[in-house]
Amino acid sequence: MGEVKLRILKDRIFTFIIYLLTFLSVIPLFAILFSLVKKGLGVINLNFFITLPKPPPDAGGILNALVGTFLLVLIASIVSIPIGIVAGLFLVETRNRFANMLRVLINVLQGLPSIVIGIIAYLWVVKPMGGFSALSGGIALGIMMLPMVVKSTEETIKLIPYTLREASYALGADYFTTIFKVVLPAGISGILNGILLGIARIAGETAPLLFTAFGNPYLNFNPAKPVDSLPLLIFNYAMSPYERWQNAAWGASFVLIAFVLLINIGVKLGGRRWRVKL
Amino acid sequence: MLRDRFFKFGLKLAGGLIALLIFSIFVSLVIASIPSIKEFGLSFVFGKEWNPVEEHFSALPFIIGTLLTSVLALAISLPFSLAIAFFSGEFSKKGLISSLIAYATDLLAGIPSVIYGFWGLFFLVPLIRKLELSFNIPPYGVGIFTASLVLSIMIIPYASSMARDVIALVPSDLKEAGFALGSTRLEVIKKVIFPYSVSGIFAGLLLAFGRAIGETMAVTMVIGNANRIPHSLFEPANTLASVIANEFTEATSDIHLSSLIYLGLILFIITFFINYIGNMIIERMSVNGRS
């Protein structure tokens, strides 16, 4: 009997440890969110969003970074979404060795360090253009977003029943029409979710922008000129010795995390609704 | 029908372009590193000195810094990641708490790395400094240990989500057979679940390790940026990624820039193989699972 009790005791202790470690690992999340709210929320007001940075010791607002982030995300979307969707279709439609290899390669691309992508954008765009630019940063972010678009397209289209296509073929539609009028519209919500999550991810990227978009304290809409972005501004302000700049960095962090979380929550809620419809 | 043929060609073209993209990334890195490869050759990898002033460059300090931070980060996060995986893959598959945990790890993965670095700089660094003072070591605050701590939080979602999925996929008749023989849950986990899911858990850890190796911003902000081989875990150092982030825009000579890209090439090769192996394991598993 003693042995059985020992086994049960071991099991209980193990269960306790699992629960304990699980709950302990959630603590950093709350610690980070707490400090963002505590330090960031106080800085934020309307002026914070609609003014430009000021020289130290003042801090000013983050309008330049908001515009820059928008511009970078726009360029990245143009670069990655069309080719990503088509490549995702290719992976669904093709069953051969090349498709399998491509699938692995896309996962590898997703795992590449973002700083390496930054070097590539520097070599491919910054050097030939002769200077830092929003375009080069957008292309770097686009390369990072590409695997997410491809994978969400593939995953979504795979789930669409083949009978839907057969119905379309039976009506005399050709392959092109079937894909664009039947298959893609049926899967658009899933693809859109993937794109939104991709945007949430790249909007927070800093490393590939350090030597591409570079940062810019002035308002700029020109893709051929450097722009600032929220994460770049956070990095530069956080490493600065000025207290007001650091406070502005907390405010900008709060804005960035709110943006990322809103997209995540929106996708979760929206995804559930769409899935029921499908 | 001509349109269909064009369209099918377009599909192939897009697939081919992405393969070409990855190939060109590698080729571009190699070409841009050639000046440094010519100058230093393979001794670049094993040399101990990185001195931009005397234009002598080698990678060993950063390779050591990278391996130390990522191995330590993986070791710190391992018990927590596995606990989360067993918690949501076996103990509490459904219900409010398990979906809260799943949601929390999702959020951890969604936090931008610059915010991890910022938070580490303002909360962990002072904490570590106090700790170092009480142990009578130089109170840098920043350094390898601090970087590993931040990294270990960042990779929890990557290490745990893969492991959770494979643990949840263990067939319940296998587990029930174990319980029917009178095993406790711990024994079922040790003898049934773990052996069944070990390759998937390993693949997940490998991918998390790859993340830690390539992580740039959070590490750059808390590692202290010292270009020498560290002698203790509490010393400032640099990783491959963090030295590139620090010096790339300030590189004055062509050989300096080329050496930084050479570091990027090394980083590319390391993470390429880690990701490739991890993904091949996952691919093989899903093939086995289907048949």
Side-chain angles (χ1 to χ4, degrees):
Chain A
M1 278 315 265
E3 199 229 329
V4 173
K5 272 192 184 141
L6 185 70
R7 286 169 55 206
I8 292 176
L9 183 69
K10 272 191 194 161
D11 184 61
R12 292 267 160 82
I13 293 172
F14 178 73
T15 309
F16 174 74
I17 291 173
I18 292 281
Y19 274 73
L20 183 72
L21 290 180
T22 302
F23 289 110
L24 280 181
S25 43
V26 190
I27 291 176
L29 175 70
F30 287 105
I32 292 171
L33 292 182
F34 176 76
S35 46
L36 286 180
V37 172
K38 191 179 136 211
K39 297 207 160 192
L41 206 56
V43 190
I44 294 173
N45 51 38
L46 184 64
N47 258 334
F48 190 64
F49 291 104
I50 58 167
T51 56
L52 291 173
K54 289 184 184 136
D58 274 337
I62 56 168
L63 181 65
N64 60 330
L66 290 175
V67 170
T69 297
F70 174 77
L71 204 60
L72 289 168
V73 167
L74 186 72
I75 297 170
S77 303
I78 295 170
V79 170
S80 65
I81 292 174
I83 183 171
I85 290 181
V86 179
L89 278 171
F90 170 77
L91 286 181
V92 182
E93 302 297 309
T94 322
R95 274 195 199 86
N96 59 22
R97 202 182 250 177
F98 175 65
N100 288 335
M101 189 194 78
L102 189 63
R103 212 167 279 130
V104 173
L105 277 181
I106 284 169
N107 281 322
V108 168
L109 180 64
Q110 196 170 23
L112 278 192
S114 52
I115 191 92
V116 172
I117 309 279
I119 294 179
I120 287 303
Y122 177 87
L123 292 175
W124 289 355
V125 190
V126 175
K127 244 181 158 180
M129 277 177 65
F132 303 114
S133 61
L135 186 67
S136 57
I139 287 175
L141 295 184
I143 296 176
M144 300 200 63
M145 190 172 156
L146 191 59
M148 286 180 262
V149 180
V150 176
K151 282 166 97 174
S152 69
T153 306
E154 192 198 355
E155 297 298 320
T156 313
I157 302 296
K158 244 194 326 203
L159 290 178
I160 292 170
Y162 205 78
T163 46
L164 217 59
R165 281 189 208 199
E166 283 167 352
S168 167
Y169 291 140
L171 289 172
D174 60 2
Y175 183 70
F176 181 83
T177 316
T178 305
I179 293 288
F180 272 88
K181 293 272 169 69
V182 178
V183 176
L184 275 182
I188 193 72
S189 62
I191 298 173
L192 216 60
N193 278 351
I195 290 172
L196 282 175
L197 287 177
I199 286 177
R201 172 58 51 85
I202 59 161
E205 274 298 338
T206 322
L209 300 180
L210 289 172
F211 29 85
T212 53
F214 193 68
N216 185 348
Y218 304 104
L219 200 57
N220 172 36
F221 293 94
N222 182 355
K225 291 265 167 66
V227 289
D228 218 329
S229 84
L230 274 178
L232 266 181
L233 179 137
I234 294 169
F235 176 61
N236 288 326
Y237 279 21
M239 305 303 271
S240 80
Y242 314 109
E243 205 187 328
R244 280 191 201 169
W245 279 28
Q246 291 165 2
N247 288 338
W250 285 112
S253 302
F254 183 85
V255 173
L256 182 59
I257 207 89
F259 174 73
V260 171
L261 295 195
L262 277 180
I263 289 187
N264 274 299
I265 293 169
V267 165
K268 277 241 157 86
L269 296 179
R272 202 172 297 151
R273 204 171 62 224
W274 277 317
R275 207 169 299 147
V276 175
K277 256 190 198 165
L278 203 107
Chain B
M1 289 304 113
L2 189 66
R3 194 170 59 170
D4 271 4
R5 278 171 64 186
F6 268 118
F7 183 54
K8 280 186 177 160
F9 175 72
L11 290 186
K12 274 185 202 139
L13 191 70
L17 272 178
I18 292 184
L20 185 70
L21 171 76
I22 296 161
F23 182 68
S24 337
I25 289 177
F26 175 70
V27 172
S28 293
L29 286 176
V30 172
I31 291 175
S33 322
I34 281 177
S36 179
I37 296 175
K38 266 190 184 154
E39 178 85 25
F40 305 114
L42 265 183
S43 70
F44 185 79
V45 180
F46 305 105
K48 292 178 183 157
E49 198 190 8
W50 179 272
N51 190 339
V53 181
E54 288 174 18
E55 298 201 339
H56 191 87
F57 301 103
S58 45
L60 195 62
F62 313 120
I63 294 177
I64 292 180
T66 305
L67 288 181
L68 276 181
T69 44
S70 11
V71 169
L72 192 58
L74 198 63
I76 297 173
S77 90
L78 189 67
F80 297 99
S81 308
L82 286 186
I84 292 180
F86 278 114
F87 180 85
S88 44
E90 168 64 21
F91 282 87
S92 167
K93 274 190 181 175
K94 281 176 197 148
L96 184 68
I97 298 177
S98 104
S99 55
L100 277 180
I101 296 288
Y103 204 65
T105 46
D106 270 6
L107 289 190
L108 268 184
I111 295 177
S113 65
V114 69
I115 292 183
Y116 276 108
F118 191 20
W119 178 78
L121 193 61
F122 279 77
F123 281 84
L124 287 181
V125 168
L127 222 62
I128 301 287
R129 198 170 285 148
K130 268 187 204 153
L131 196 75
E132 285 170 341
L133 272 175
S134 67
F135 280 106
N136 272 329
I137 25 186
Y140 292 110
V142 292
I144 290 183
F145 182 71
T146 317
S148 307
L149 217 52
V150 176
L151 274 178
S152 69
I153 302 170
M154 297 179 72
I155 61 175
I156 282 178
Y158 298 99
S160 65
S161 73
M162 186 72 214
R164 176 194 61 209
D165 291 349
V166 290
I167 288 168
L169 278 178
V170 176
S172 40
D173 42 357
L174 285 185
K175 288 188 273 183
E176 281 155 13
F179 286 124
L181 289 171
S183 308
T184 62
R185 193 169 227 164
L186 171 63
E187 287 156 359
V188 169
I189 285 177
K190 264 204 299 205
K191 302 263 167 72
V192 179
I193 298 179
F194 190 71
Y196 194 90
S197 51
V198 64
S199 62
I201 295 175
F202 178 73
L205 292 179
L206 210 55
L207 295 182
F209 187 58
R211 286 270 151 191
I213 285 178
E215 175 49 46
T216 313
M217 293 322 289
V219 173
T220 307
M221 291 167 89
V222 299
I223 200 166
N225 311 116
N227 295 342
R228 54 168 193 262
I229 296 178
H231 296 289
S232 111
L233 292 180
F234 293 93
E235 263 182 39
N238 244 336
T239 66
L240 290 166
S242 73
V243 72
I244 299 173
N246 264 316
E247 296 188 1
F248 203 89
T249 47
E250 289 156 16
T252 41
S253 61
D254 286 344
I255 188 77
H256 190 183
L257 197 69
S258 173
S259 299
L260 286 168
I261 296 172
Y262 197 177
L263 293 179
L265 178 66
I266 295 174
L267 192 58
F268 176 95
I269 293 171
I270 297 175
T271 48
F272 185 94
F273 279 109
I274 287 179
N275 278 294
Y276 187 78
I277 296 168
N279 283 302
M280 285 314 276
I281 296 174
I282 295 168
E283 189 92 337
R284 264 230 317 266
M285 266 185 349
S286 57
V287 170
N288 288 343
R290 237 178 272 145
S291 61

